[in-house]
C-alpha cells in the first residue's frame, strides 16, 4: 500500500496549520509547528504572493495530508463525490471521514490516522464481526467496529482502551468504552467535520 513515509511535521509546516499527524505530540511543547511555524526549506520564511491556483492547490494538499491519502486515491474520491447527489465538496469530505482508519481514530483507538492505518493492517479490529485489514473501507450506518479479543493483551491496545474515558467522540459514533466497540449510528455530515476546510477550492481546482 503506497503511503507517505517522510517527516510528518514538515507537512504541517508546509500547510501552515496543525494537521495532528502525530497524536499527543501535536498537543505538547515538542510540536515542531509550534517552534517553527514557517514552511520548510531554504526559502520557508520568505513572503510569497499566492495566486488563485496556489490557494486551491494548498487546500487540496491540506485535505490529502489530513486524511493521509495520496493523489490518485484522493482524485478517485473526488470523482465518486462528483457523481453523488448534493454538493461535491461536502460529499468529498464525508467520504474521507467515512474511511475505516479515520473512524478508528475518531473512536479513540489510535493516536493518529497513520497509527490507525497500521493497526488495521495488522488485523487488530473486526467490522461487523469479521476481521478487517483494509484501512480505506468506507463505513456505513449500522456498522460495528470492535477491537479483536486476541489483540486486547497488547500493551498498546490496553493503553488506548484505558484512555477512552478521557476521549470525546463524534455524535455519529456510539462508543462502548467497556467493550472497546463503536457503532456507526449515522453517516457523518459536513457539520461533523470541525477542521477548517474550504472544500469549494478543491472543487474549483479539479473543475479546471
Amino acid at each position: 500500500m503506497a503511503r507517505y513515509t517522510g517527516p510528518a511535521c514538515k507537512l504541517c509546516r508546509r500547510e501552515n496549520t496543525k494537521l495532528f499527524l502525530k497524536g499527543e505530540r501535536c498537543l505538547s511543547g515538542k510540536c515542531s509547528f509550534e517552534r517553527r511555524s514557517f514552511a520548510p526549506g531554504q526559502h520557508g520564511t520568505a513572503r510569497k504572493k499566492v495566486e488563485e491556483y496556489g490557494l486551491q492547490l494548498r487546500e487540496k494538499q491540506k485535505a490529502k495530508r489530513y486524511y493521509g491519502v495520496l493523489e490518485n486515491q484522493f482524485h478517485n474520491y473526488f470523482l465518486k463525490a462528483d457523481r453523488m447527489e448534493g454538493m461535491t465538496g461536502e460529499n468529498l469530505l464525508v467520504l474521507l471521514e467515512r474511511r475505516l482508519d479515520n473512524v478508528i481514530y475518531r473512536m479513540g483507538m489510535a493516536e493518529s490516522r497513520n497509527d490507525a492505518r497500521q493497526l488495521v493492517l495488522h488485523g487488530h479490529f473486526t467490522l461487523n464481526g469479521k476481521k478487517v485489514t483494509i484501512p480505506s473501507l468506507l463505513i456505513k450506518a449500522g456498522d460495528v467496529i470492535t477491537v479483536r479479543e486476541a489483540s486486547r493483551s497488547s500493551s498498546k491496545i490496553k493503553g488506548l482502551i484505558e484512555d477512552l474515558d478521557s476521549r470525546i467522540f463524534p455524535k455519529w459514533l456510539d462508543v462502548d468504552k467497556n467493550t472497546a466497540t463503536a457503532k456507526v449510528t449515522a453517516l457523518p455530515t459536513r457539520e461533523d467535520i470541525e477542521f477548517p476546510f474550504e472544500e469549494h477550492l478543491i472543487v474549483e481546482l479539479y473543475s479546471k
Side-chain angles (χ1 to χ4, degrees):
M1 182 188 68
R3 62 188 180 90
Y4 174 77
T5 57
C9 294
K10 278 190 175 182
L11 301 183
C12 298
R13 291 173 57 203
R14 183 63 189 89
E15 302 310 328
N16 195 33
T17 187
K18 277 193 179 187
L19 300 175
F20 301 99
L21 303 177
K22 300 190 78 171
E24 292 297 323
R25 184 185 178 92
C26 298
L27 304 175
S28 72
K30 296 180 181 179
C31 176
S32 295
F33 184 77
E34 295 289 350
R35 291 181 283 112
R36 296 182 293 173
S37 58
F38 50 87
Q42 181 179 351
H43 304 291
T45 56
R47 289 188 177 182
K48 299 175 183 177
K49 183 179 179 181
V50 182
E51 303 290 347
E52 181 184 32
Y53 173 77
L55 290 173
Q56 295 165 350
L57 178 62
R58 292 268 58 86
E59 201 64 25
K60 183 196 73 168
Q61 295 294 84
K62 183 166 68 174
K64 279 172 49 182
R65 290 164 172 174
Y66 183 75
Y67 285 103
V69 298
L70 298 184
E71 180 60 39
N72 285 344
Q73 194 173 24
F74 189 85
H75 189 223
N76 288 336
Y77 281 125
F78 177 82
L79 295 176
K80 184 172 184 175
D82 197 34
R83 293 192 296 267
M84 296 166 62
E85 292 184 7
M87 299 182 67
T88 301
E90 292 186 4
N91 292 340
L92 172 63
L93 293 180
V94 169
L95 284 173
L96 292 166
E97 192 72 11
R98 286 173 56 194
R99 283 174 56 97
L100 180 60
D101 53 2
N102 178 73
V103 177
I104 286 170
Y105 169 68
R106 294 291 194 199
M107 71 179 278
M109 284 310 303
E111 294 181 0
S112 66
R113 290 175 182 81
N114 189 52
D115 189 32
R117 191 172 303 115
Q118 189 174 49
L119 291 173
V120 173
L121 287 169
H122 290 176
H124 290 297
F125 297 92
T126 64
L127 178 63
N128 300 326
K130 295 181 180 179
K131 180 180 174 181
V132 62
T133 58
I134 304 173
S136 60
L137 276 177
L138 296 180
I139 55 89
K140 304 182 295 294
D143 282 349
V144 177
I145 302 152
T146 309
V147 177
R148 291 182 66 210
E149 198 64 41
S151 300
R152 297 183 185 223
S153 58
S154 159
S155 58
K156 180 179 181 68
I157 297 292
K158 277 183 179 178
L160 289 166
I161 292 174
E162 289 170 1
D163 288 344
L164 287 179
D165 286 331
S166 61
R167 296 278 186 170
I168 299 174
F169 309 108
K171 64 183 182 182
W172 49 273
L173 273 183
D174 182 14
V175 179
D176 186 329
K177 300 172 184 178
N178 295 321
T179 60
T181 297
K183 181 174 182 179
V184 182
T185 57
L187 290 181
T189 65
R190 177 63 184 92
E191 289 69 31
D192 295 320
I193 303 170
E194 298 176 353
F195 196 83
F197 290 112
E198 294 185 60
E199 60 271 20
H200 67 278
L201 294 175
I202 303 173
V203 176
E204 290 170 6
L205 178 67
Y206 278 124
S207 299
K208 289 185 175 180

